[in-house]
Amino acid sequence: MWCIVLLWSDSVAWADPKYERKDVDRAGSRLAHLEYPVTTSDGLDALTVLNNWRSSHAYPLNTFQITLRTKARKIERDVIVAQRVKRLESIHAKLSRQPSMRMTQMQDIAGCRAVFKRMASVKTLIKKYKTSSFDHKLRNEKDYITFPKKDGYRCHHMVYSYKGNGPTEVYDGLQVEVQIRTQMQHAWATAVEAVGIFTKQALKSNQGDQDWLRFFALMGSAIAAMEACNPVPNTPTDKDDLVNEIRALAAKLRVQNTLSVYNTTIQFIGSAKDAKYFVLSLDPTTQKITVWRFKALQSEAANQKYTDLEGALLEDAKTQIVLVSVDNVNALRRAYPNYFLDTNLFSSLVARALKGDFPNPLPHSVVDDAA
């Protein structure tokens, strides 16, 4: 059985940037050329700089999360809103894949997300961001709903540069990514991560078994059809062809069995009152999830715990650690089902796809015309 342990910790304050940007970029460049987890003295010095840079995003991130929550709840009362800072392992992987990238250019160090039930709500919120006044500058925008990624990923991304005033000017220029998606799109994305954990493959980074990667691309198109949105490139737009290919891969990979087995081995224990920040440690080997909880004014303590846990990882460890923020522990599981290996919603979408219970996909020419 999976065991979830809830712990408590104390402290107050926000982290401020302590290093110049050139030093942060230099540290990122060093990290990109090292093996992870980092163990050399030079690497550990680089991590000290990078961890401060990452922690410094907490205040701007919280500011964007409050704005996102306020806007989103005016559209759907039960919208899921959450925030997270990027895992060090993910930062290392991205820098390694893109060695020319400067650390201070990385746009998704900090991110917040709204997950709606309805596609119409996604469109409404995007419009509100674009038409309402906002002190912060829009730096980049990616519409992966109109133009899905080839792997099946669908979501709307907006990257903003924070603009502070007075004491908050220290955070000027730090970037925060805002993601807006539906529950179906969220179920797809979290299932990719969960199955990646099950199968010990980097499916999220489009690496691993080609059959699983193809299956998720096909499911991306099936879910897009359910939402009357553009299909994933290089997938069938004939419904029968799409269903048949999904069925063949689902049978070959034993998809439904894989998803259901892991759902039945999870046990959630305890509650967390008045907590805002959660540090989650998932160890698939020992089948244990540990959750540390922190109050709203304990951002720096949460970031320090996050950093300490990452630093203690062994070289061959499969443990995944993440720092997130949600309203309460119940919302935690809804916002991050992948860390609880919860694939229930995605399983139901697979069942619909296998029955062909969705409209005909839009033709790929619609995507081409939109471009």
Side-chain angles (χ1 to χ4, degrees), residues 5 12 26 40 64 74 77 92 97 114 135 143 169 172 180 200 219 233 261 269 283 290 310 324 352 358:
V5 183
V12 179
R26 194 174 295 122
T40 65
F64 275 87
K74 290 179 180 179
R77 183 177 180 84
H92 174 266
R97 290 194 308 269
D135 293 335
D143 183 358
E169 287 183 1
D172 272 6
I180 307 172
K200 299 179 182 180
M219 279 302 303
V261 165
I269 304 170
D283 186 347
T290 304
E310 286 184 315
V324 301
R352 281 187 63 181
F358 58 88

Side-chain angles (χ1 to χ4, degrees), residues 14-301:
W14 302 101
D16 293 343
K18 295 180 180 178
Y19 303 93
E20 294 185 16
R21 288 175 177 254
K22 63 180 181 180
D23 296 322
V24 175
D25 289 332
R26 194 174 295 122
S29 179
R30 290 205 301 272
L31 180 65
H33 295 90
L34 296 173
E35 293 292 327
Y36 185 86
V38 175
T39 56
T40 65
S41 58
D42 183 56
L44 293 175
D45 288 342
L47 288 185
T48 298
V49 177
L50 296 182
N51 280 322
N52 171 256
W53 175 255
R54 182 176 63 172
S55 298
S56 298
H57 285 71
Y59 182 84
L61 176 57
N62 187 62
T63 301
F64 275 87
Q65 174 265 137
I66 291 172
T67 300
L68 178 63
R69 189 180 304 275
T70 300
K71 289 178 180 290
R73 284 188 171 170
K74 290 179 180 179
I75 301 169
E76 275 188 21
R77 183 177 180 84
D78 295 328
V79 63
I80 302 169
V81 176
Q83 66 184 56
R84 68 98 184 101
V85 290
K86 197 173 186 69
R87 293 188 300 123
L88 188 58
E89 183 179 5
S90 299
I91 292 173
H92 174 266
K94 192 166 189 175
L95 289 173
S96 298
R97 290 194 308 269
Q98 305 175 47
S100 63
M101 172 180 283
R102 296 202 303 269
M103 183 67 190
T104 55
Q105 289 180 320
M106 193 174 293
Q107 298 179 337
D108 59 347
I109 294 293
C112 51
R113 175 187 297 146
V115 183
F116 289 107
K117 292 180 181 179
R118 297 180 293 274
M119 188 64 224
S121 300
V122 169
K123 295 178 180 179
T124 299
L125 182 57
I126 294 169
K127 184 177 180 180
K128 282 184 177 295
Y129 265 97
K130 291 185 174 183
T131 57
S132 59
S133 59
F134 205 39
D135 293 335
H136 313 289
K137 184 175 182 179
L138 180 63
R139 288 290 186 183
N140 193 15
E141 183 175 10
K142 297 290 186 181
D143 183 358
Y144 294 121
I145 297 176
T146 303
F147 309 106
K149 287 189 174 183
K150 291 181 180 180
D151 62 4
Y153 180 82
R154 301 166 58 246
C155 183
H156 196 98
H157 293 197
M158 293 180 289
V159 177
Y160 286 92
S161 178
Y162 179 82
K163 175 63 178 175
N165 292 297
T168 62
E169 287 183 1
V170 67
Y171 303 113
D172 272 6
L174 296 187
Q175 298 182 101
V176 176
E177 183 179 69
V178 178
Q179 296 183 359
I180 307 172
R181 59 172 61 157
T182 64
Q183 288 184 8
M184 288 186 182
Q185 293 160 13
H186 190 54
W188 181 96
T190 55
V192 170
E193 292 195 50
V195 172
I197 293 171
F198 302 161
T199 60
K200 299 179 182 180
Q201 300 179 72
L203 299 178
K204 184 180 178 182
S205 299
N206 203 28
Q207 300 174 18
D209 185 276
Q210 291 300 309
D211 286 337
W212 272 113
L213 294 173
R214 179 61 176 173
F215 175 77
F216 278 111
L218 296 168
M219 279 302 303
S221 271
I223 295 171
M226 295 174 195
E227 297 183 319
C229 293
N230 290 335
V232 175
N234 304 321
T235 60
T237 51
D238 178 86
K239 180 177 174 179
D240 290 339
D241 290 344
L242 181 59
V243 171
N244 288 337
E245 194 173 351
I246 290 174
R247 286 174 178 168
L249 283 175
K252 180 179 180 180
L253 297 168
R254 302 182 68 210
V255 168
Q256 290 174 299
N257 181 67
T258 299
L259 298 176
S260 64
V261 165
Y262 284 93
N263 280 337
T264 58
T265 59
I266 302 170
Q267 183 181 24
F268 190 89
I269 304 170
S271 62
K273 294 182 179 179
D274 302 324
K276 177 179 175 62
Y277 298 102
F278 301 85
V279 178
L280 290 82
S281 174
L282 165 62
D283 186 347
T285 303
T286 61
Q287 296 186 336
K288 181 179 179 181
I289 300 173
T290 304
V291 180
W292 287 264
R293 56 181 184 163
F294 299 82
K295 292 184 178 181
L297 295 177
Q298 297 177 306
S299 168
E300 192 168 19

